[in-house]
Amino acid sequence: MNKPLPNDYSAWPDANGRFGEFGGRYVAETLMPLVLDLDAAYAAAKADEGFKAELGSLRTHYIGRPSALYFAERLTEVYGGAKIYLKREELNHTGSHKINNAVGQILLARRMGKTRIIAETGAGQHGVATATVCARFGLPCVVYMGATDVERQKPNVFRMNLLGAEVRPVTSGTATLKDAMNEAMRDWVTNVADTYYLIGTAAGPHPYPAMVRDFQAVIGQETKEQILAAEGRLPDAVVACIGGGSNAIGMFHPFLTDDGVRLIGVEAAGHGIETGAHAASLTGGRPGVLHGNRTYLLQSDDGQILDAHSISAGLDYPGIGPEHSFLHDVGRAEYISATDQEALAAFQQCAELEGIIPALEPAHALARLPEIAREVGKHGVVVLLMSGRGDKDVNAVAEHLGRRI
Amino acid sequence: MTTARIDARFAALKAQGRAGFVAYVMAGDPDAETALAILRGLPGAGADLIEVGFPFSDPMAEGPPVQRAAQRGLKAGMTLKGTLELIRRFREGDAETPVILMGYLNPLDTWGLEPFARAAAEAGVDGLIIVDCPPEEAGPLVAALEAADLSLIRLATPTTDDKRLPAVVKGTSGFVYYVSVAGVTGVKEADAAAVAPAVARVKAASGLPVAVGFGIKTPERAAEVARVADAVVVGSALVDEVAAGLEMNEDVTTRVLNKAAALAKGVRGAREGRKDGDG
Ligand SMILES: Cc1ncc(COP(=O)(O)O)c(C=O)c1O
């Protein structure tokens, strides 16, 4: 049927939710009818003017869009290469890009008549975004969060509680994001009649990767308009960090057919790729099946999923959204990595030079910026996606710097 | 496709006018040798078919008992290759009891579907249940298994509606597994009254025997389900015996086999005194 042209990278997924060989719907039979329903409901909503109007209004008045595209003069000066712009998703309501997706999906859940919302969260940003929209629309909310992450992201746990959500610490497996996702899937399969699973990244069974991407693509669409207005041209490169890949794909997707724009994703290299303690699925993993989709995964020779490691809870995931696996294999996007230490240094430098405290996640993208700016060179333009603010990370960073607060 | 051992077993059960008891155990739980001793003892304890779970790090459809069993298996070093070795050794002493492997796709995918299927057939496996591989994604797996004369046992669930059911059971062989609760293994309890019409529906659509599992923990509940289904699957209650044996420092094999015997008794006695055969 509607197989996209091989070189039109923006036309995927196909009707089966495939991005090339990646993606799909690898879920238990109990969930299969629900996933198909969701696909149909999302297709209908996407085509509905009322849905678009409601989403547009919430984006403007609740999230505070469009987010600024800011010329980072001092970073530009220090790196001595391309002009650097920051796409300021950290200025959104709740402090990250995660709210873009949460607002879109809560509207869909309401249209579908669902009365209970569940979510998984790593850094807690998606949990906070979900708890926020649930409060806004008066729906009960349960957030699964790895017990390890509950410890390192305490402020966000409290925020979710303030917003009326129940945070359930997950102790199974390795007690991080992947286990939180397992537990959310188990909840969904148990509460099929009333529950909507609001996945926080561009991964999971189809239609989630495409749907989350569409809700996040507002980032790239605005960036395109804003950079044309500011510079009269498209950027030479856009750079974003990669956890599950939702902020990055939101930026990349509107640029996929603009051949001159390099798309650069930065994975978390943890203690270093060579140590094995990292979260770089594309750099250090191979294709497999987890959480409903075929994608690159960190895994053993026997096909067991390995623990990821990153200083940043939001990047600490052994998989990646399937569209990134596709863009990696066809060579349209480039994927590099930054270590914990590099991210920490970039975190501090951005705070000191620009007066912006980034989240640890985009600090990974910031860490690779000096090389990219120099590669692109003096007359070029680079846009970095500042996916979230660092308030949630100040305790963890203080600890790493040996400071007590 | 030949599903000789499975078909022969269901034909024999039918002739005896009773439902079968399917025992689920986890490979390598708590270690390879004990798991082998349990496997070897199960037919004697009354298991008519055996499901062997192969451990996976992220068993999304399992409740706590089977999750913990998989963790114990992994900790003991069990792999998919090790699981086949276990079955090969079991087959040295048992050529009749059907063995179904149950687990998740990624370990098979890592091995390579075709070489895995050949190795599984050689080891004496009869069929597979792959929880995260719905019909829509099963094409490559079905092809690989068919080439090796193995069945892919399909799962039907309370959410599988009439529209979807024909696609779910299409081209399937051996038997169909009816998941009697919407949920993970070992948490909710199956409602025997709701199971009867569902079994009839799945049987009509597939023309195959129907085994019912998820949420059956006691001999009493097993007996209830055995009155309306062709086979009854119990897993969590058996792997919990491993956990209890370890905790209380008792012989794990004995505990599991005693539990299996009690469940088998429930299943076997379920239709006694009823003259209406197997319906
Ligand atoms: C600020 C921020 N950026 C990035 C991410 C990574 O997620 P994704 O790759 O889906 O954008 C997270 C996840 O929690 C986050 O909080």
Side-chain angles (χ1 to χ4, degrees), chain A residues 18 25 30 182 186 304-305, chain B residues 57-59 106 137 159 164:
Chain A
R18 292 269 171 183
R25 292 184 262 238
T30 309
N182 289 336
R186 291 179 185 125
Q304 307 297 337
I305 307 307
Chain B
S57 50
D58 294 81
N106 201 51
E137 302 292 353
T159 60
R164 188 171 163 73

Side-chain angles (χ1 to χ4, degrees), chain B residues 13-171:
Chain B
L13 290 168
K14 193 168 174 152
Q16 291 169 43
R18 67 173 179 90
F21 169 52
V22 185
Y24 171 100
V25 289
M26 177 64 74
D29 179 23
D31 57 69
E33 289 310 310
T34 311
L36 180 63
I38 292 170
L39 278 183
R40 285 181 170 154
L42 278 173
D48 299 299
L49 290 87
I50 301 177
E51 271 179 31
V52 180
F54 53 97
F56 182 50
S57 50
D58 294 81
M60 271 167 303
E62 315 299 345
V66 178
Q67 286 176 39
R68 288 192 287 258
Q71 287 299 324
R72 290 192 297 268
L74 287 173
K75 216 164 154 203
M78 187 46 65
T79 60
L80 184 54
K81 285 206 166 73
T83 304
L84 293 190
E85 175 58 15
L86 210 58
I87 288 161
R88 194 190 60 70
R89 291 173 69 193
F90 169 77
R91 274 278 171 256
E92 288 169 355
D94 186 315
E96 267 96 55
T97 309
V99 172
I100 316 294
L101 281 190
M102 182 160 179
Y104 294 79
L105 187 56
N106 201 51
L108 275 61
D109 199 69
T110 292
W111 187 325
L113 297 179
E114 274 137 39
F116 161 76
R118 280 194 300 276
E122 266 165 41
V125 171
D126 298 289
L128 276 103
I129 299 173
I130 301 299
V131 179
D132 57 350
C133 192
E136 283 82 351
E137 302 292 353
L141 181 59
V142 168
L145 296 183
E146 277 188 2
D149 279 348
L150 294 172
S151 347
L152 182 63
I153 309 296
R154 290 294 171 77
L155 301 165
T157 73
T159 60
T160 311
D161 57 20
D162 284 328
K163 200 170 86 209
R164 188 171 163 73
L165 187 55
V168 169
V169 300
K170 186 167 164 257

Side-chain angles (χ1 to χ4, degrees), chain A residues 66-277:
Chain A
S67 69
L69 183 71
Y70 161 75
F71 173 47
E73 210 174 324
R74 295 193 69 202
L75 286 177
T76 300
E77 201 180 294
V78 168
Y79 298 155
K83 282 177 93 167
I84 291 166
Y85 283 83
L86 304 179
K87 178 62 174 163
R88 307 271 317 262
E89 291 296 303
E90 100 280 11
L91 296 178
N92 293 340
H93 180 40
T94 72
S96 83
H97 70 292
K98 295 285 182 188
I99 192 79
N100 300 327
N101 169 49
V103 160
Q105 287 198 57
I106 200 80
L107 293 180
L108 184 60
R110 275 161 52 86
R111 272 175 73 102
M112 293 177 75
K114 301 293 182 182
T115 54
R116 174 177 178 265
I117 306 295
I118 58 171
E120 84 296 335
T121 197
Q125 287 304 104
H126 173 59
V128 167
T130 304
T132 297
V133 296
C134 286
R136 165 67 184 76
F137 288 102
L139 291 169
C141 176
V142 173
V143 179
Y144 290 94
M145 188 169 187
T148 309
D149 294 336
V150 168
E151 263 317 296
R152 60 177 162 173
Q153 304 284 323
K154 276 189 191 141
N156 271 346
V157 175
F158 186 58
R159 286 166 83 195
M160 287 184 265
N161 292 151
L162 284 176
L163 292 159
E166 179 194 345
V167 178
R168 292 193 187 158
V170 175
T171 53
S172 63
T174 55
T176 58
L177 180 53
K178 89 173 165 77
D179 307 289
M181 197 149 178
N182 289 336
E183 218 46 50
M185 294 263 207
R186 291 179 185 125
D187 181 313
W188 197 21
V189 89
T190 308
N191 298 288
V192 291
D194 62 349
T195 296
Y196 183 94
Y197 180 15
L198 208 160
I199 295 186
T201 192
H206 179 67
Y208 285 103
M211 175 170 70
V212 175
R213 172 199 74 198
D214 294 349
F215 289 138
Q216 293 294 1
V218 66
I219 300 172
Q221 285 149 6
E222 286 176 6
T223 299
K224 211 168 186 174
E225 284 171 23
Q226 289 166 320
I227 201 74
L228 283 171
E231 293 285 336
R233 52 167 291 200
L234 293 179
D236 297 283
V238 296
V239 188
C241 67
I242 306 262
S246 69
N247 83 89
I249 202 69
M251 176 63 97
F252 292 0
H253 198 261
F255 289 105
L256 282 179
T257 50
D258 298 311
D259 289 340
V261 181
R262 285 172 66 189
L263 312 175
I264 305 175
V266 184
E267 299 190 293
H271 296 322
I273 303 287
E274 68 292 345
T275 66

